[in-house]
């Protein structure tokens, strides 16, 4: 379902300084597969996630998702593709602390302009799934770390995306919350989501429900 073919990604800082973040990467992720991308800081993990999410384009090579050439999409189609297909989980959750739980979860739906009943149905589904409905009107700043985590995961799933992308999801979490996140990941996998996690957290290594661990080093898969 996700295919990266001969991907090279360079960042030109200036004419004399070009960073090669990814070198001739080939990677196939099947539908329903859970992949852990591991490797030191700067090895290229986030660059791969950005390409899958159509947040950036490769310098050369192809990104194909469900037979669509993502790397060739014009920007407006790229954001549509993201909205319809991708759920993001970020390391600091990126929740808006002055909004309520409900408002944060609904944010990805705003550009779709759904009718109120449809939005409410989607909201209830994920609040129930990730057990946060008892806090729907609470402000983020008044939630515990675990509750904030559940809001972030509910928000990533409100569009019912097929693909979940998580970039260092446990980087700021204590061990208890990290283990809780891993249990949620197990649930998402059981729901049939295709999941790519970039992490250097050893808690993710050797998990029975992870299909593949792929190591990156200096922009190549090793
Ligand atoms: N926008 C950018 N401009 C210039 N260089 C960049 C940019 N984004 C990434 N890089 C460089 O590309 C390389 C790969 O970075 P990337 O963020 O993909 O690595 P990473 O493995 O995700 O690192 P981390 O674990 O620290 O997030 C690094 O050398 C980084 O400095």
């Amino acid at each position: 379902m996700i295919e990266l073919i001969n991907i090279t990604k360079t960042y030109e800082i200036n004419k004399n300084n070009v960073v090669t973040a990814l070198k001739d990467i080939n990677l196939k992720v099947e539908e329903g597969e859970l992949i852990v991308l591991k490797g030191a800081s700067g090895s290229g993990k986030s660059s791969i996630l950005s390409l899958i999410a159509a947040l950036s384009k490769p310098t050369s090579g192809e990104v194909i998702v469900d037979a669509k050439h993502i790397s060739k999409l014009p920007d407006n189609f790229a954001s549509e593709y993201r909205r319809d297909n991708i759920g993001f989980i970020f390391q600091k959750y990126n929740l808006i602390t002055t909004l309520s739980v409900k408002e944060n979860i609904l944010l990805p739906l705003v550009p779709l302009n759904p009718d109120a009943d449809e939005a409410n149905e989607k909201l209830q589904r994920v609040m129930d799934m990730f057990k946060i409905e008892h806090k729907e009107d609470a402000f983020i700043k008044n939630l515990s770390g675990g509750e904030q985590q559940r809001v972030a995961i509910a928000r990533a799933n409100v569009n019912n995306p097929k693909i979940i992308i998580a970039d260092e999801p446990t980087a700021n979490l204590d061990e208890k919350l990290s283990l809780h996140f891993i249990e949620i990941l197990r649930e998402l996998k059981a729901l049939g989501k295709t999941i790519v996690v970039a992490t250097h957290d050893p808690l993710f290594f050797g998990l029975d429900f992870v299909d593949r661990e792929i190591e990156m080093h200096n922009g190549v898969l090793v």
Side-chain angles (χ1 to χ4, degrees), residues 9-13 17-22 38-50 91 167-168 198-200 216 218-219:
K9 176 72 185 174
T10 57
Y11 296 101
E12 188 174 328
I13 293 159
N17 192 359
V18 177
V19 176
T20 303
L22 299 173
K38 53 187 188 176
S41 177
S43 57
K45 305 181 298 294
S46 302
S47 297
I48 288 197
L49 298 187
S50 298
Q91 65 171 249
D167 198 357
E168 299 286 359
T199 185
H200 48 242
M216 295 200 69
N218 283 342

Side-chain angles (χ1 to χ4, degrees), residues 82-83 85-89 155-157 161-166:
R82 258 194 311 279
R83 248 178 16 219
N85 294 279
I86 308 281
F88 290 97
I89 301 168
R155 184 183 59 183
N157 281 279
K162 282 189 291 197
I163 301 171
I164 301 279
I165 280 178

